[in-house]
Amino acid sequence: MMYRVLSPLRVGRVRHEPGAEIALPLEPEDIRPLIERGIVAPAADAGGDAGTGTATGTPRPAGGAGEGREAAILAAIAGLEEGNPDHWTQDGRPEVRALRAASGLGDIAAADRDAAWAAYREAREEAE
């Protein structure tokens, strides 16, 4: 089955940008978390504008609570430059200031970063 990428996604060594249609070599139960987090959508259901970040074409909220906020932080993590010390802490986590700049959410706290970072790593592991 083909999926439309809604938020930047790295599968193996290949980075897929929003709007791309890809086949994921995963079982449906392994893809479900990616769909629930707004990272991919079945291509047949992705009818919205590729740049909006959602399957329905409705823009994601820039700073509300819940899934829209987490999706914005996840997208910011995916967009950070590997190896850039301004984007990553010494222990390998995303830098909060870099996430604030990349997401437009000025109120991201370390706890928000840690929760999104755990979800991001889990989704990447499931996708690989």
Side-chain angles (χ1 to χ4, degrees):
M1 176 176 222
M2 296 297 290
Y3 296 88
R4 175 160 302 169
V5 177
L6 303 176
S7 183
L9 172 69
R10 186 176 303 275
V11 179
R13 296 184 183 262
V14 179
R15 179 183 166 104
H16 301 281
E17 297 298 327
E21 289 194 12
I22 61 172
L24 291 173
L26 300 171
E27 296 298 319
E29 62 270 12
D30 296 325
I31 294 172
R32 187 174 311 116
L34 297 174
I35 293 171
E36 289 171 357
R37 290 188 179 107
I39 297 170
V40 299
D45 296 340
D49 181 298
T52 64
T54 66
T56 62
T58 305
R60 281 190 187 141
E67 292 178 18
R69 180 177 171 78
E70 182 180 1
I73 298 171
L74 290 169
I77 291 171
L80 296 180
E81 183 182 337
E82 290 182 38
N84 184 335
D86 292 332
H87 292 185
W88 302 95
T89 64
Q90 289 184 352
D91 65 0
R93 294 178 297 164
E95 185 64 61
V96 171
R97 283 172 286 186
L99 291 178
R100 288 176 182 158
S103 69
L105 301 172
D107 61 346
I108 295 174
D112 299 322
R113 180 261 329 263
D114 292 343
W117 181 233
Y120 180 84
R121 290 188 330 204
E122 180 182 317
R124 279 185 47 192
E125 288 172 7
E126 291 173 1
E128 292 177 352

